[in-house]
Amino acid sequence: MDLEEFIKKAFHDSEIKHALSEKYHPLLKSEELAKEGREVGNALYLEVIHNDLTHERIWDSYLKSISLSPANSKSLALSYGNMSALLYHLAEFEACIKECDKALNITKSISLRIKLLCRKAKCYASLNSSKIAETFEEAEAWVSKISNDDNMKKELIKLLDRTKIILRKKKVKNDSAETSNIDSVIFTASNDNILDDRITKRKKGKKHKFDYQPLKGDSTHLNILEKKEKNGVFNSVIVRQDDDYSRYFVASKNIKPGEIIFVTKPLIIVPNFRRIHNYCNHCLDPLWSSIPCDNCCCCLWCSDKCKEEAIKQYHDIECPIISYVIFGDEGSDYAVQGSLRAVIKAVREFGSIKKLKDEIDYIRNSEDLNHGFIKDGNFKCNSFISIFSFRNSCTDSNILNYLSKASCRNVIALARFTNFFGTNTQFNVVESFQNNDETFFIATLLLQVAAIIYNNGIKVPEPERRCPNNSEQNCVSIFPCCERGYSVSTIGNFIPHCCDPSVKTIKSNGCKDICYALQPIYKKDPLLECYGSTYFEMGLSDRSDRTAQILNRYCTCIACTENWPPVLTLEGKSMDFDEVFETVVFSRKHFYEKVRILDLIEKYGFTHQHVVNELSKIIQTNFEYFGQPSAETCAAMCMLYYAFDALYTNKLLFPMKCTTPLGVKFSKSYKEI
């Protein structure tokens, strides 16, 4: 049965017929609902003992209160104020200042304004900013405007006094830090005894402690990332086609290990609607500073830029119906939601439904398999048409039945509650949808795109996050649970699988895909990435069936054909970080080479571009000396994993302990923090 038949069948389903007359009551913003969210967060905030889970629950409650507050309301100002208190508590000072400013732009309350200005002043002090004095003076000026008869004035004067004390302490601390000689504590290896001593300590169980946070103020790696993004996808690769891999990327020049090959953004991004208030609805970044939609309660963004892009591309159409089309109960709903966004963006891209239909009809009838998404050897990865470059889509009839009904439901919602099909259209019966060229085309296209997304989309995980529903191990839910959302990158379709990968792709800020080299890649070599477990992590007998499920065939790469041993396992278990690091250090033939990698990590922390450059040299040398399979080479590749993950991955991490005092505690009668 082709897709059009599925749509025809779905339109006659009783559920879809009911949707034609179904009353739709979207969730509206409400000061009462927002207040409930704030009160839950406030109760947790005022607890004596906090841990990371407490912090996360407070954060979640305050974000919900922001999303539910009417635009420019007193409730929204209070919600921003609550969030700023939490951010200060977590030492997220820059984000705290942003939330304070948002509340200050809205509030008409003098008392709230003074509290926010005091909090801003303390943030500026922590950041050693020059704006401390003017911010604190502004708070003092507002206190003078309060009547002496106001009972709150004494409380606010006490707040000013306490803030002044904190500012003085922070100034002394900052002045002391500026005069200290940081370089004097940097370790420098100069003889064999030092290296032997460190290795001896490791054997006694005293393992190295590495700093996994990028150095503050160091932007070397970010400058490289920005440059690579500007260069575009085809600065280092070109598209080739043959019987083995069909269409795929090959290197257009020699590429070193650790070199970023390209940076691109997925064509389709869909948030996890079960955690819709925790991540940016457009780019999936964690929401430390949030901007809510003025109308719906479902969308928060991390910046004005994301909000503007979302509204321009799809959200103005999606907004009135978003709570209607969100089911949130099945893994396949990512495909439903993603197809709606993709099709709305496509109509915007081509200017009208008719022009989009003409282009797709031309592609379907064209003998050129690359028409529409490959031009002059370059892949048009940002065009909607590129989604048709995927060669496989869902064929499961049960899934297609579900997706077809959801697609019909979405078309009905677009016709009834938006102007997507125009303002004068009237659809009262099923036949009016089936007989109308535009509505039937959009329904079929929604199903086609959903089927492609279902087979080719990937979950965007929360790095190092424990599953809240299964805290002892990784998430095992088939429903949207603890991940950030879903993405579809047409670029990944051009990088074939291999159990001995030459590249790896990771998610960075803004859901951007960073593809970097793990091994030396020479001109005209294909880019190869592992879709499952690599040969050095897992033996052939353990990984072959899992890989076959992903590929719909058994892997025929050289590592599988020659049955390479899992070189990074000990007694059947994968090596831990420390064992991998030791393998890298002992692969150095000369003393000075061992000292260099240790010195760099001691000096800069594990997360620095200098360490990446040194690992690049180690991999290059090991690859030329040992070849593959090689424990030394693979261990260095794993160290490169860790470095890139720490440098570029945007993690949602809450401290186990509080990093700042709870601050001012108001009387029990005062309910807002």
Side-chain angles (χ1 to χ4, degrees):
M1 187 187 298
D2 61 23
L3 297 182
E4 291 187 355
E5 292 301 317
F6 276 100
I7 292 296
K8 289 178 182 178
K9 178 183 175 183
F11 267 127
H12 288 283
D13 188 275
S14 58
E15 179 186 332
I16 301 304
K17 289 181 178 180
H18 175 68
L20 284 170
S21 58
E22 183 181 5
K23 290 185 178 180
Y24 168 49
H25 301 288
L27 179 63
L28 300 176
K29 291 178 179 287
S30 161
E31 293 205 10
E32 286 300 315
L33 291 175
K35 183 180 179 181
E36 289 177 11
R38 289 198 306 276
E39 288 178 344
V40 171
N42 290 349
L44 291 166
Y45 188 94
L46 293 174
E47 288 182 359
V48 176
I49 299 174
H50 287 186
N51 56 29
D52 58 339
L53 188 57
T54 308
H55 292 149
E56 185 172 353
R57 287 174 176 171
I58 299 169
W59 174 71
D60 183 65
S61 298
Y62 287 164
L63 284 172
K64 286 179 180 176
S65 70
I66 289 172
S67 69
L68 290 167
S69 297
N72 300 318
S73 64
K74 175 185 176 181
S75 175
L76 184 58
L78 290 172
S79 298
Y80 280 139
N82 286 141
M83 181 59 79
S84 71
L86 174 64
L87 292 170
Y88 179 76
H89 178 61
L90 297 178
E92 294 286 341
F93 301 119
E94 293 179 355
C96 177
I97 290 170
K98 290 180 181 178
E99 297 301 281
C100 287
D101 286 338
K102 291 174 194 171
L104 288 167
N105 289 335
I106 298 171
T107 187
K108 295 178 182 178
S109 166
I110 294 178
S111 60
L112 179 59
R113 185 174 294 274
I114 293 167
K115 295 166 196 170
L116 292 168
L117 288 168
C118 287
R119 192 169 294 143
K120 272 186 71 176
K122 289 187 285 187
C123 287
Y124 283 135
S126 298
L127 296 170
N128 202 16
S129 169
S130 60
K131 298 180 180 180
I132 305 169
E134 65 176 277
T135 306
F136 186 74
E137 287 170 6
E138 186 181 350
E140 288 182 313
W142 278 102
V143 169
S144 65
K145 295 181 181 182
I146 301 177
S147 169
N148 291 330
D149 297 332
D150 193 325
N151 295 329
M152 198 67 187
K153 187 167 185 175
K154 291 182 180 180
E155 197 78 34
L156 293 170
I157 290 172
K158 289 180 182 179
L159 170 62
L160 284 173
D161 292 339
R162 285 193 291 265
T163 302
K164 191 180 292 186
I165 293 170
I166 292 171
L167 295 179
R168 285 174 182 167
K169 288 181 179 179
K170 287 183 180 292
K171 185 178 186 303
V172 171
K173 185 177 180 181
N174 290 336
D175 290 344
S176 175
E178 286 179 3
T179 57
S180 66
N181 184 5
I182 297 174
D183 290 337
S184 65
V185 299
I186 292 175
F187 173 86
T188 303
S190 57
N191 56 60
D192 291 356
N193 293 333
I194 294 174
L195 179 64
D196 293 341
D197 181 55
R198 275 185 284 179
I199 292 173
T200 301
K201 285 181 179 179
R202 289 174 59 77
K203 289 181 177 178
K204 291 179 180 179
K206 296 182 179 180
K207 301 181 179 182
H208 281 288
K209 293 182 179 180
F210 298 119
D211 181 10
Y212 292 99
Q213 297 299 319
L215 293 178
K216 290 186 177 180
D218 180 75
S219 59
T220 309
H221 63 293
L222 296 178
N223 294 336
I224 294 172
L225 188 68
E226 183 180 3
K227 183 179 178 181
K228 289 292 183 180
E229 189 173 4
K230 287 181 179 178
N231 288 343
V233 174
F234 294 95
N235 183 254
S236 303
V237 299
I238 55 176
V239 177
R240 286 287 180 265
Q241 185 167 343
D242 60 31
D243 294 336
D244 291 334
Y245 294 129
S246 187
R247 293 180 295 267
Y248 60 100
F249 286 148
V250 298
S252 58
K253 62 179 184 181
N254 292 342
I255 301 173
K256 297 183 296 183
E259 181 179 341
I260 294 176
I261 302 171
F262 58 75
V263 182
T264 186
K265 196 167 183 178
L267 178 66
I268 302 168
I269 297 173
V270 188
N272 178 353
F273 282 93
R274 284 193 169 190
R275 309 198 68 223
I276 197 168
H277 302 112
N278 301 136
Y279 302 103
C280 176
N281 202 262
H282 187 65
C283 74
L284 303 186
D285 277 356
L287 286 171
W288 299 116
S289 178
S290 59
I291 300 173
C293 176
D294 294 338
N295 300 306
C296 74
C297 303
C298 297
C299 292
L300 291 169
W301 295 283
C302 64
S303 65
D304 288 322
K305 181 182 177 183
C306 275
K307 181 178 180 179
E308 290 167 6
E309 286 182 359
I311 292 173
K312 183 179 179 181
Q313 293 175 11
Y314 55 84
H315 187 66
D316 59 330
I317 298 294
E318 173 192 72
C319 185
I321 62 173
I322 191 164
S323 56
Y324 181 85
V325 301
I326 293 171
F327 293 27
D329 293 326
E330 305 239 2
S332 54
D333 286 337
Y334 278 137
V336 175
Q337 297 150 10
S339 65
L340 180 63
R341 286 192 173 182
V343 170
I344 294 172
K345 287 173 65 176
V347 173
R348 292 276 165 81
E349 179 185 341
F350 288 91
S352 69
I353 296 175
K354 183 179 183 307
K355 289 180 180 179
L356 174 62
K357 184 176 184 302
D358 291 343
E359 180 68 17
I360 292 176
D361 286 343
Y362 184 74
I363 291 172
R364 287 171 177 167
N365 297 324
S366 175
E367 294 182 0
D368 181 4
L369 297 177
N370 296 328
H371 177 78
F373 49 89
I374 294 182
K375 186 176 181 181
D376 300 327
N378 288 339
F379 181 51
K380 295 167 64 177
C381 54
N382 294 323
S383 172
F384 170 78
I385 297 301
S386 64
I387 199 168
F388 295 106
S389 66
F390 286 106
R391 295 175 294 278
N392 61 325
S393 63
C394 179
T395 57
D396 186 309
S397 60
N398 292 326
I399 298 297
L400 288 176
N401 280 325
Y402 175 83
L403 295 178
S404 61
K405 286 193 283 188
S407 298
C408 291
R409 183 182 171 87
N410 284 352
V411 167
I412 290 172
L414 288 169
R416 290 184 64 195
F417 309 121
T418 77
N419 62 357
F420 184 75
F421 293 109
T423 55
N424 298 321
T425 54
Q426 291 185 352
F427 301 98
N428 301 317
V429 294
V430 166
E431 286 72 21
S432 60
F433 285 93
Q434 285 187 314
N435 297 333
N436 183 286
D437 289 342
E438 288 191 346
T439 54
F440 190 77
F441 164 72
I442 291 296
T444 307
L445 184 60
L446 284 169
L447 174 57
Q448 183 176 5
V449 174
I452 291 172
I453 294 174
Y454 185 86
N455 250 39
N456 299 280
I458 59 169
K459 289 184 178 180
V460 180
E462 180 54 61
E464 299 182 10
R465 176 182 169 79
R466 69 170 185 273
C467 176
N469 298 319
N470 191 24
S471 58
E472 297 300 319
Q473 52 186 300
N474 294 330
C475 180
V476 294
S477 174
I478 61 171
F479 305 123
C481 180
C482 55
E483 69 267 15
R484 294 187 181 188
Y486 215 60
S487 73
V488 179
S489 176
T490 48
I491 287 293
N493 189 34
F494 284 67
I495 305 178
H497 164 81
C498 181
C499 296
D500 177 31
S502 61
V503 303
K504 186 172 179 63
T505 304
I506 61 170
K507 288 286 182 187
S508 183
N509 291 3
C511 207
K512 294 173 184 174
D513 293 314
I514 302 176
C515 180
Y516 65 95
L518 291 172
Q519 300 183 15
I521 303 174
Y522 300 102
K523 188 174 181 180
K524 297 184 179 180
D525 280 354
L527 271 58
L528 303 170
E529 184 168 16
C530 184
Y531 295 175
S533 298
T534 61
Y535 88 86
F536 46 82
E537 298 171 302
M538 186 179 290
L540 177 61
S541 59
D542 294 325
R543 74 174 186 273
S544 59
D545 289 339
R546 300 183 187 183
T547 307
Q549 289 180 352
I550 299 172
L551 301 177
N552 294 320
R553 61 174 175 80
Y554 282 98
C555 180
T556 56
C557 72
I558 187 172
C560 291
T561 304
E562 297 184 1
N563 195 10
W564 288 358
V567 292
L568 292 189
T569 59
L570 293 173
E571 298 179 354
K573 296 182 179 180
S574 297
M575 291 184 183
D576 62 20
F577 177 90
D578 222 51
E579 292 164 335
V580 168
F581 179 75
E582 195 165 298
T583 303
V584 173
V585 171
F586 281 100
S587 73
R588 307 286 75 215
K589 292 188 295 180
H590 304 291
F591 165 75
Y592 77 90
E593 290 178 318
K594 294 180 181 180
V595 171
R596 188 166 59 215
I597 183 67
L598 291 169
D599 271 355
L600 286 170
I601 293 174
E602 294 276 1
K603 184 174 182 179
Y604 296 108
F606 185 70
T607 309
H608 196 280
Q609 187 61 37
H610 288 330
V611 177
V612 171
N613 295 342
E614 180 62 21
L615 287 171
S616 175
K617 295 175 186 176
I618 292 172
I619 294 171
Q620 184 78 43
T621 303
N622 287 353
F623 191 82
E624 293 173 355
Y625 186 79
F626 298 112
Q628 285 281 45
S630 160
E632 291 82 358
T633 303
C634 294
M637 287 164 57
C638 284
M639 294 299 291
L640 198 60
Y641 285 3
Y642 300 133
F644 264 82
D645 180 66
L647 275 173
Y648 295 108
T649 303
N650 188 355
K651 298 180 176 69
L652 174 63
L653 297 176
F654 290 91
M656 287 293 291
K657 297 180 180 179
C658 304
T659 55
T660 60
L662 278 176
V664 180
K665 289 188 178 180
F666 296 101
S667 63
K668 293 290 184 181
S669 61
Y670 185 69
K671 296 181 180 179
E672 300 297 342
I673 296 171

